[in-house]
Amino acid sequence: MNYLLAPIAALGRVIITFITETGSILILLFLALRNSLRRPYRFKLILEQMEFIGVNSMGIITLTGFFTGAVFALQTGKVFRLFNAEGYTGMVVGISLVRELAPVLTSLMVAARAGSAIAAKLGTMRVTHQIDALMVMAVDPVNYLIVPRFIATTLVMPVLTAYFDFIGILGSYVVGVVLLGINEGIFVYRIEWMVDVGDISHGLIKSSVFGALIAIISCHKGFYSGGGAEGVGRSTTEAVVLSSISIFVADYVITALVI
Amino acid sequence: MIDVQDLHKSFKQQVVLDGASIFFAEGKITTILGGSGSGKSVLVKHIIGLLRPDSGTIVVDGQDLETLDDRELLQVRKKFGYLFQDSALFDFMNVFDNISFPLFEHTRLKRSEVQHVVAEKLRLVGLAGIEKKMPSELSGGMKKRVALARAVALDPKIIIYDEPTTGLDPVMTDTVNDLIATTQEALGITTIVISHDIRSSLRISDFLGLLNEGKIVEFGTPEKVQESEHPMMRLFLAGIERAPVSKS
Ligand SMILES: Nc1ncnc2c1ncn2[C@@H]1O[C@H](COP(=O)(O)OP(=O)(O)O)[C@@H](O)[C@H]1O
Ligand SMILES: [Mg+2]
């Protein structure tokens, strides 16, 4: 009997964990949203976080953006050449970048860099009682720690994504026009013809949602971290994994809804 | 004045407080003694409203915490200073930013006034002039004293010390005990000390309470408590008598 029930019990535990975890993240999201409207407004902390999450991610976004555009142009350019259609390379790269690749890859980079840092920082503060210290000093830790990170990530993601768009197209231009010798005028004209403001804002809005997800998941993992230094390490890994998965799921859901 | 009546608190199956009652007199030093894991920290976390009881009442300055919402609890917390066992200084801020943190959060003092208060609190703990240092540059004892300066920055009416001398060497232990006593004298604040160090407790306390199996089983002045017949208290007291022997 036990042999039969064990897998069912295990499945039940997984489902329960999933539901409790999701519920707990949603509660924190609710607290963060409600708290963003409450005084004190911490503009200085928001700016600091924007710098940390945004400015410090520029380097890695530049590299990933450039090479994503470049390799994508290389692949499509090679295939389109078979049909004598390499003039369409820029347009295909452009639309894929702006609608999908830029928001998703930028978010993954931010999840890896900033999400892990957020979880590690809040986790360390939790296990060394710095969060308790905030509370006994009558400072709401959600207001002080979570709201600034949540707002900053949500605001900064579209900016980083727009930058990724630009650098990615630049990368595809270098490969397409300079290396593959595609006519510059056609390359640029096709991008302009295909990619409109709607496509760009579709990508930017998605990225903002991804930013909110990264922030709330990473804050949640860190904030409820336990079990000493080892626990903080585990929370950090979980923050990155869970943020990344949720980016892909949310991407599908949003895209399915608007298409 | 703080009055705790019949406090019950369990975490999942584990009963931690099982009808604890204790009284903290205004302007006095009261120590809660108890073995590690006996629930001393849990008890004081109820007093500042970090934990909510399963049942029982806590009255701080005439206010029943039960009846307060989260924002009113924040107001109550401003009456308290709390010194954590591990200091819990913000590791990303220097000493000045740590001590000035509650001042910038809760007062409208100008920067120059804040600098003045921080300097004064640092002098009180014997560490004048270390404003620019980061917590990582300080020894354990210094961290503790900076944390004390931060805890008294807002001139609290009540201060809670969670195991202030645990893990300190004997010299540092005496220094911290003196500091608790002088802080209490200088500022006249109601002082709550959590400890399992009976020797220090007998020296500095006006009252002692022994927490055992979720209840305060013994309470009184140091003289009275030393006469106690409670087996746990006898164990604590025997610890002092044994100490010189174990040295040889
Ligand atoms: N937030 C919590 N959740 C679950 N268990 C807790 C919590 N806080 C304390 N405990 C448990 O309560 C017991 C008493 O803890 P504590 O008050 O910290 O002991 P001490 O007397 O050493 O300060 C311990 O067994 C501890 O594991
Ligand atoms: Mg404790």
Side-chain angles (χ1 to χ4, degrees):
Chain A
M1 202 56 195
N2 266 336
Y3 294 107
L4 290 175
L5 287 181
I8 299 174
L11 180 66
R13 269 195 299 277
V14 170
I15 293 173
I16 289 170
T17 313
F18 177 76
I19 292 173
T20 12
E21 187 87 343
T22 312
S24 165
I25 292 173
L26 287 177
I27 290 170
L28 191 65
L29 176 64
F30 169 75
L31 288 178
L33 289 174
R34 191 182 66 176
N35 227 308
S36 348
L37 306 172
R38 279 193 183 168
R39 274 169 219 282
Y41 307 122
R42 301 185 182 274
F43 297 113
K44 185 163 160 270
L45 290 183
I46 294 175
L47 286 179
E48 265 174 39
Q49 288 303 319
M50 286 175 87
E51 178 182 7
F52 175 73
I53 298 160
V55 180
N56 296 347
S57 299
M58 296 292 272
I60 195 167
I61 301 288
T62 308
L63 283 172
T64 45
F66 186 86
F67 284 106
T68 303
V71 77
F72 203 30
L74 208 55
Q75 295 279 18
T76 33
K78 196 178 140 197
V79 175
F80 279 4
R81 175 153 288 172
L82 297 175
F83 312 103
N84 276 328
E86 58 261 51
Y88 290 94
T89 300
M91 153 187 142
V92 170
V93 173
I95 193 86
S96 323
L97 262 179
V98 167
R99 289 185 69 95
E100 284 300 331
L101 289 173
V104 169
L105 291 179
T106 307
S107 306
L108 290 177
M109 286 303 142
V110 170
R113 224 199 117 264
S116 61
I118 289 173
K121 165 92 172 191
L122 298 198
T124 307
M125 289 187 72
R126 168 65 72 190
V127 301
T128 57
H129 301 119
Q130 294 177 54
I131 292 182
D132 288 333
L134 280 173
M135 289 168 76
V136 301
M137 286 191 272
V139 173
D140 181 349
V142 172
N143 181 281
Y144 185 79
L145 294 173
I146 296 182
V147 168
R149 287 174 169 78
F150 182 76
I151 295 179
T153 318
T154 311
L155 292 181
V156 137
M157 276 310 299
V159 180
L160 287 176
T161 303
Y163 178 66
F164 191 110
D165 287 345
F166 172 75
I167 295 290
I169 288 173
L170 186 71
S172 71
Y173 178 92
V174 169
V175 168
V177 175
V178 181
L179 282 183
L180 301 180
I182 300 168
N183 181 289
E184 180 184 352
I186 293 178
F187 187 92
V188 174
Y189 168 74
R190 290 284 184 209
I191 295 180
E192 283 175 4
W193 176 74
M194 185 72 199
V195 180
D196 62 23
V197 175
D199 297 314
I200 297 176
S201 49
H202 172 85
L204 298 189
I205 290 169
K206 280 207 294 200
S207 75
S208 197
V209 175
F210 301 160
L213 279 170
I214 295 168
I216 205 68
I217 290 170
S218 307
C219 283
H220 179 269
K221 283 291 169 200
F223 199 67
Y224 295 110
S225 186
E230 201 186 317
V232 176
R234 202 166 42 237
S235 307
T236 308
T237 313
E238 285 173 6
V240 177
V241 172
L242 197 57
S243 300
S244 309
I245 295 172
S246 65
I247 288 166
F248 286 112
V249 175
D251 185 34
Y252 180 80
V253 172
I254 298 172
T255 310
L257 283 179
V258 297
I259 272 180
Chain B
M1 185 214 76
I2 301 162
D3 195 9
V4 178
Q5 283 297 332
D6 199 25
L7 204 58
H8 288 261
K9 180 72 178 181
S10 304
F11 296 107
K12 300 212 177 91
Q13 321 291 3
Q14 184 195 5
V15 178
V16 178
L17 297 178
D18 188 19
S21 301
I22 189 168
F23 178 84
F24 300 95
E26 188 138 358
K28 302 286 186 206
I29 301 181
T30 307
T31 298
I32 304 171
L33 279 168
S36 55
S38 59
K40 304 180 296 293
S41 298
V42 169
L43 176 60
V44 292
K45 279 179 183 161
H46 280 88
I47 298 173
I48 45 171
L50 283 185
L51 290 172
R52 295 266 192 175
D54 297 338
S55 69
T57 55
I58 302 145
V59 178
V60 176
D61 275 343
Q63 277 184 300
D64 184 348
L65 298 193
E66 180 80 34
T67 63
L68 306 180
D69 65 26
D70 286 352
R71 285 209 227 182
E72 290 167 321
L73 268 181
L74 284 183
Q75 296 307 312
V76 172
R77 274 187 210 145
K78 287 187 201 167
K79 297 179 184 179
F80 285 90
Y82 194 111
L83 186 67
F84 286 87
Q85 186 176 340
D86 56 2
S87 300
L89 292 174
F90 299 126
D91 53 14
F92 51 96
M93 293 181 184
N94 67 19
V95 168
F96 176 82
D97 291 337
N98 263 286
I99 302 174
S100 62
F101 184 81
L103 294 162
F104 284 124
E105 283 292 321
H106 298 305
T107 71
R108 294 179 174 276
L109 294 180
K110 288 200 287 290
R111 195 170 175 87
S112 59
E113 295 167 316
V114 167
Q115 282 166 343
H116 183 78
V117 176
V118 170
E120 177 202 314
K121 301 300 177 192
L122 276 176
R123 215 158 32 241
L124 180 76
V125 298
L127 288 175
I130 64 156
E131 279 94 338
K132 293 265 160 56
K133 286 234 185 325
M134 294 301 286
S136 55
E137 300 172 70
L138 306 177
S139 72
M142 288 166 89
K143 276 187 202 159
K144 208 147 231 171
R145 285 191 275 170
V146 172
L148 175 58
R150 182 177 71 175
V152 297
L154 285 175
D155 296 322
K157 292 183 68 176
I158 307 152
I159 184 160
I160 298 174
Y161 298 88
D162 193 345
E163 307 212 10
T165 57
T166 301
L168 297 184
D169 63 54
V171 177
M172 209 42 228
T173 299
D174 286 343
T175 314
V176 169
N177 282 329
D178 290 343
L179 201 58
I180 294 174
T182 51
T183 308
Q184 193 269 334
E185 272 167 37
L187 310 173
I189 36 187
T190 307
T191 304
I192 301 174
V193 185
I194 298 178
S195 178
H196 51 226
D197 173 7
I198 179 103
R199 184 203 299 269
S200 307
S201 307
L202 288 171
R203 196 156 75 76
I204 62 170
S205 312
D206 296 302
F207 300 101
L208 287 104
L210 174 66
L211 182 65
N212 192 39
E213 293 178 346
K215 296 184 180 65
I216 299 290
V217 291
E218 197 66 65
F219 185 83
T221 60
E223 295 73 32
K224 183 182 160 225
V225 162
Q226 284 187 77
E227 309 289 297
S228 165
E229 292 302 324
H230 193 281
M232 192 67 195
M233 191 53 112
R234 299 291 349 147
L235 261 176
F236 267 107
L237 291 164
I240 314 187
E241 287 147 26
R242 258 206 322 269
V245 181
S246 62
K247 221 170 93 182
S248 61

